Amino acid sequence: FISSPTGMGVMYTHVFAVAGTYEYDCSVGSHALNGMIGTIIVNGAPLNTIYDIVSNSTDHTTLKAAIDACSLDGTLSGAGPFTLFAPTDAAFNLLPAGTVTALLADIPQLTDILLHHVVGDSVLSTMLSNNLVVPTLNGDVLVSITSGGVFIESGNGTIAQVTGADIPADNGVVHVIDAVLLPAPPNSIYDIVSNSTDHTTLKAAIDACALDGT
């Protein structure tokens, strides 16, 4: 607002609705004679991204550490929209002892697991239905709705219950779950040969010829 030069109250008000930098000058009274000019910086409303929600949650410190380690903080702060199935610290604690530490040392595998919790769209609970297959950024998950609640089955068969639904973010939505969703293990031709007790010579030959990658 601009006050009257005679102290008689407000002469003019303006509400800035668009963020930006604005130059102004006072064109009335003694202020104008003294060359009163200035700059006003208008900041936009603070964002509340999926990453912000995870970061500000006391129940998701392990998830935040994993997201940071995999450099997915920028992605989950981006435009989206995304849906994040967010396992709690208690969910990570259900994994075998030493698993979290090992995953934090294996960024590619940890990234694969985290992407199995992210959907490239905003999916509210009202959009879920029983036996719905939801494609994540790394494999599909299956939705089951029973009298006991909403459950998400991961690629390897792990089942997590949604314990907190529809937490809104500016770039999507967060659903809290009580277990870590693990993607299906790879099952390439090389995996089949490697896991077969009847094909050890073939595996040795493939390895010797550097055909394991192919």
Side-chain angles (χ1 to χ4, degrees), residues 21-86:
T21 301
Y22 299 86
E23 305 293 334
Y24 75 90
D25 67 89
C26 184
S27 58
V28 296
S30 59
H31 294 302
L33 296 177
N34 293 328
M36 182 178 176
I37 60 173
T39 301
I40 297 175
I41 298 176
V42 179
N43 296 317
L47 294 177
N48 185 41
T49 67
I50 287 175
Y51 181 70
D52 292 326
I53 291 171
V54 173
S55 298
N56 293 324
S57 170
T58 57
D59 294 324
H60 292 90
T61 57
T62 305
L63 178 59
K64 179 183 182 301
I67 290 172
D68 290 345
C70 296
S71 300
L72 291 175
D73 50 321
T75 300
L76 295 177
S77 296
F82 300 110
T83 296
L84 174 66
F85 295 107

Side-chain angles (χ1 to χ4, degrees), residues 85-145:
F85 295 107
T88 61
D89 292 340
F92 279 99
N93 290 336
L94 292 175
L95 295 173
T99 299
V100 173
T101 300
L103 287 174
L104 289 170
D106 188 346
I107 299 304
Q109 184 180 7
L110 182 57
T111 301
D112 285 344
I113 291 173
L114 291 180
L115 293 180
H116 197 54
H117 292 75
V118 181
V119 180
D121 199 358
S122 183
V123 182
L124 298 174
S125 63
T126 54
M127 301 166 62
L128 300 177
S129 59
N130 193 40
N131 294 324
L132 176 69
V133 175
V134 178
T136 73
L137 299 184
N138 183 29
D140 296 337
V141 296
L142 177 67
V143 176
S144 298
I145 300 177

Side-chain angles (χ1 to χ4, degrees), residues 109 112 138 156 183-192 195:
Q109 184 180 7
D112 285 344
N138 183 29
N156 83 329
N187 190 39
S188 66
I189 288 175
Y190 182 72
D191 292 323
I192 293 172
N195 294 323

